[in-house]
Amino acid sequence: EVLVDDGPGSAATSVWRGSTRGLAVIGGLTDPRTIPIRIPLAPVPGRRVTLTTRADSPLPWAVAEVQAYGRPR
């Protein structure tokens, strides 16, 4: 799940929730060397992005790099 908020104490808005399996396949076909996973986020204003993983996932994974794009407010 990906959450966006305006900082400590503000309410978080979920901008994406789902499985990254299909996104990983697309990333592997697009760039097999780095396999980018591009997550389409809902357009909401915010200052902080939180990426969470499922605790029940049998496979460990790590995030090597995160890039976020948006317009300044």
Side-chain angles (χ1 to χ4, degrees):
E1 180 171 24
V2 179
L3 305 168
V4 173
D5 65 52
D6 269 329
S10 67
T13 301
S14 178
V15 293
W16 183 84
R17 179 181 289 188
S19 171
T20 56
R21 284 184 219 147
L23 299 174
V25 170
I26 292 169
L29 293 171
T30 303
D31 185 349
R33 192 173 58 81
T34 62
I35 309 174
I37 298 175
R38 294 185 172 96
I39 299 173
L41 304 179
V44 299
R47 294 176 183 251
R48 184 170 61 176
V49 176
T50 303
L51 172 66
T52 60
T53 61
R54 290 186 1 211
D56 64 343
S57 176
L59 302 173
W61 65 278
V63 177
E65 183 177 326
V66 174
Q67 296 178 355
Y69 301 96
R71 289 180 292 195
R73 348 184 219 178

